[in-house]
Amino acid sequence: MEMRQRIKRLIHNGWRSVAIIVLVTMATGLRAVAQDSIYVGFTPMKLCTIKNGKMQILLSKNLRDSELDSFITQFDLGHLALKRFIKTGFADSIHGNGWEIGMNTKVGFMLSKPLLGADMNDPAERIIFTSEHPPFDLMFPSVSSSVWFGYNRFRNKTFAIRDSVARFFLRGNPGAKKVMLAGSFNEWNPDLLSMTKTDSGWIAGVKLSPGKYWYKFIVDGNWTVDTDNRTNENDGLGNTNSVFYFPNTLFKLKGYKEAKKVFLAGSFNAWQSKDLPMNKTTGGWELPVYLADGTHTYRFIVDKNWIADPENPLGYPNEHNDFNSVISIGKSYLFKFDGYKDAKKVYLSGSFNGWNERELPMFKTTTGWELAYVLGSGNHEYKFIVDGKSIADPGSSSSSPDKNTSYLVLDANYTFRLKGFESAKKIFLAGDFNFWSSNSLAMKYENGEWTFRVHLSPGKHLYKFVVDGKWIMDPGNTLWEENEHNTGNSIVWIEK
């Protein structure tokens, strides 16, 4: 169902379901930055939220007519005569429809109405909407830069996967009359996926691609997490949802049938030795996982003994004078480093391998050195180690001389722009996409604006500009949220 139609349906149902309309998430609530207007960031307030069992609407009285008309039309609030109330104080329509007037000043006003049996476990009913609301697949992206790997942990059951179809299973509930499945894969719609009753529970198949998914069951109208799933997450909106990873890699260790415990550890889980227990099979041990595009190193731990994968001939040297097994997903990139023909050893080191300076030896060529390495789409920082000395890539157009590092952007899809600041000497871009580094993404000044092009995965990203050492939010972007320093971060949503 189209989002705006769904919200209108919720409102016509007397708010028996709940929609939270938030322009910007804030840790400190409302922020008044002018005496005659209520603002979030730089935008007059249009806010609906839930507090003390009531639906609350807060509106600035300084909204432009076009903004107020859009708000009223979008959420079908014409019956409240809000424009007349702002101009004349006429409140009969508000009271007649069951709303109470709370705060009412020259700054703005608040309306409230009791919730009538709202189901607060429905993620779709607690989702955040704005006048330019990001779609569900942006709020719950199956593939993003924040999801490096994942695996499933179930009690008493498994999810069978065949031909890209995951078979979701709810154990028990023999007395239930109707069970539905909803999740990030169907916009949390409770009416689309009905589950079929079996002798041991309820099942439903969903065709998925590799990645991360959130879901819940609806048992006779009641939303519930999967109690057999050990992996649950709060989405930041008050919902706790179960998490399912559709795997794309099966780690297998043949033999070792007498082993008591076997674990998988690798660069994808920071080499934690007891996080990933493998499952015993008739032929040995295995564990299906989801891995993001890129190069991953790993080893098996058999009864506390670390071993490389005996079936995998690919490996990189490690600090123990041994090798770690290697698996790569995605396209390879050829790093080239011309010159330095007299160097004895040259290594590649970067954010993609934890800055290990002895893992990736480069190969000598007629013009210098090179190494093909598989990287996923993204923003990567790197350097060359020449006979123990760190050197930035002289062929890169984006380098940080003080750090002796360079920057590589693969599959760039977004350009950040900052207008003005003609007299600034240096401006850097920093955000969650480069670990908030303040001096790695140097912006270029052209045609009256500073720009930098990066790759951003689908979903929400936070960022700021660093102008001659001073951190500022984007003055051209009204969308922001508070941070732990109470200085705010700008927000950008990226579509697929």
Side-chain angles (χ1 to χ4, degrees):
M1 181 181 297
E2 205 274 336
M3 284 301 162
R4 294 176 182 176
Q5 293 178 348
R6 180 167 187 172
I7 298 303
K8 290 179 180 180
R9 175 173 61 83
L10 300 182
I11 293 173
H12 278 304
N13 287 339
W15 299 99
R16 296 179 184 275
S17 298
V18 181
I20 304 174
I21 308 158
V22 182
L23 195 57
V24 177
T25 303
M26 295 183 62
T28 57
L30 305 181
R31 170 172 294 186
V33 296
Q35 293 182 351
D36 61 347
S37 181
I38 294 178
Y39 287 80
V40 173
F42 306 102
T43 305
M45 176 67 74
K46 297 179 293 183
L47 173 70
C48 291
T49 188
I50 299 167
K51 186 176 181 180
N52 299 328
K54 292 184 178 181
M55 190 71 189
Q56 295 184 344
I57 298 178
L58 179 67
L59 286 175
S60 167
K61 289 185 177 180
N62 279 37
L63 288 169
R64 294 191 300 267
D65 284 346
S66 59
E67 290 181 298
L68 184 57
D69 288 340
S70 175
F71 184 82
I72 292 171
T73 300
Q74 185 175 0
F75 301 106
D76 205 7
L77 297 173
H79 58 291
L80 297 183
L82 296 178
K83 296 182 73 172
R84 185 176 178 186
F85 171 71
I86 292 173
K87 292 180 179 180
T88 67
F90 176 80
D92 289 0
S93 297
I94 293 173
H95 293 308
N97 283 280
W99 292 85
E100 298 177 355
I101 301 173
M103 180 196 74
N104 182 19
T105 70
K106 66 177 183 179
V107 175
F109 63 95
M110 178 181 288
L111 307 180
S112 64
K113 184 177 183 179
L115 295 172
L116 303 177
D119 184 357
M120 296 309 296
N121 290 317
D122 181 349
E125 295 182 4
R126 296 196 59 166
I127 203 68
I128 290 180
F129 294 92
T130 71
S131 56
E132 295 181 358
H133 167 252
F136 276 97
D137 60 349
L138 300 190
M139 300 194 68
F140 297 93
S142 57
V143 177
S144 75
S145 57
S146 63
V147 183
W148 186 235
F149 96 104
Y151 79 108
N152 299 306
R153 300 185 301 159
F154 290 104
R155 308 178 187 91
N156 309 311
K157 69 181 181 184
T158 58
F159 277 16
I161 298 175
R162 184 177 180 181
D163 297 330
S164 299
V165 175
R167 191 70 63 179
F168 286 76
F169 176 55
L170 172 62
R171 188 169 55 88
N173 292 275
K177 296 180 180 179
K178 183 180 181 181
V179 178
M180 307 295 290
L181 172 65
S184 57
F185 40 77
N186 72 342
E187 296 189 350
W188 297 100
N189 192 317
D191 303 318
L192 284 182
L193 287 174
S194 59
M195 303 189 74
T196 303
K197 191 174 185 179
T198 69
D199 57 353
S200 56
W202 300 76
I203 61 171
V206 182
K207 189 171 184 178
L208 301 173
S209 56
K212 180 180 181 180
Y213 299 89
W214 294 258
Y215 71 97
K216 275 187 171 181
F217 301 118
I218 306 104
V219 182
D220 290 336
N222 298 311
W223 290 73
T224 178
V225 296
D226 187 346
T227 55
D228 287 325
N229 190 340
R230 292 185 174 95
T231 306
N232 295 318
E233 286 185 3
N234 190 291
D235 59 12
L237 309 176
N239 301 299
T240 298
N241 304 314
S242 297
V243 174
F244 174 71
Y245 291 96
F246 194 93
N248 58 357
T249 305
L250 179 63
F251 287 95
K252 298 180 69 173
L253 176 63
K254 293 183 179 180
Y256 295 92
K257 297 181 180 180
E258 303 303 320
K260 295 180 180 179
K261 291 183 179 180
V262 177
F263 292 88
L264 168 69
S267 56
F268 40 81
N269 79 325
W271 295 99
Q272 296 299 306
S273 61
K274 295 183 179 181
D275 279 359
L276 304 176
M278 300 187 71
N279 306 312
K280 196 168 187 177
T281 66
T282 56
W285 302 79
E286 65 180 34
L287 182 67
V289 304
Y290 166 75
L291 294 178
D293 283 2
T295 299
H296 308 271
T297 54
Y298 68 97
R299 290 173 74 87
F300 300 120
I301 308 166
V302 182
D303 291 338
K304 298 183 179 181
N305 296 313
W306 292 69
I307 66 170
D309 186 346
E311 301 294 321
N312 186 354
L314 301 177
Y316 289 142
N318 61 28
E319 66 275 20
H320 303 294
N321 294 319
D322 203 342
F323 288 87
N324 297 325
S325 299
V326 177
I327 183 171
S328 299
I329 302 173
K331 301 178 295 183
S332 65
Y333 177 83
L334 183 63
F335 286 89
K336 299 187 69 174
F337 183 39
D338 291 335
Y340 294 89
K341 297 180 181 180
D342 295 330
K344 295 180 180 180
K345 290 183 178 180
V346 176
Y347 291 87
L348 171 67
S349 174
S351 56
F352 40 78
N353 78 327
W355 295 103
N356 188 322
E357 296 186 355
R358 291 293 182 268
E359 182 183 62
L360 304 176
M362 301 187 73
F363 299 97
K364 201 168 188 178
T365 67
T366 57
T367 59
W369 304 79
E370 66 180 35
L371 177 67
Y373 190 82
V374 174
L375 288 171
S377 300
N379 315 292
H380 310 282
E381 198 172 2
Y382 70 99
K383 61 184 177 180
F384 300 119
I385 312 298
V386 182
D387 291 337
K389 182 180 179 181
S390 297
I391 297 177
D393 185 353
S396 172
S397 60
S398 179
S399 296
S400 178
D402 55 331
K403 296 172 61 179
N404 289 322
T405 60
S406 299
Y407 218 77
L408 171 67
V409 178
L410 293 181
D411 301 324
N413 61 353
Y414 187 82
T415 301
F416 284 94
R417 302 179 184 276
L418 177 62
K419 294 184 178 181
F421 295 90
E422 297 88 350
S423 60
K425 295 180 180 179
K426 289 184 179 180
I427 297 183
F428 292 92
L429 170 67
D432 54 14
F433 41 83
N434 75 330
F435 304 102
W436 294 98
S437 173
S438 62
N439 59 358
S440 61
L441 302 184
M443 303 184 74
K444 294 183 178 180
Y445 186 75
E446 293 179 340
N447 301 321
E449 62 180 4
W450 298 79
T451 63
F452 197 93
R453 190 162 174 78
V454 299
H455 173 85
L456 297 180
S457 60
K460 173 184 172 183
H461 294 276
L462 305 176
Y463 71 98
K464 297 183 88 165
F465 300 118
V466 186
V467 181
D468 290 337
K470 182 180 179 180
W471 292 71
I472 67 168
M473 287 193 296
D474 185 350
N477 183 0
T478 61
L479 192 59
W480 66 280
E481 70 179 30
E482 194 59 276
N483 59 27
E484 66 273 22
H485 306 294
N486 294 320
T487 58
N489 296 320
S490 295
I491 298 173
V492 61
W493 288 92
I494 301 298
E495 299 183 4
K496 286 185 177 181

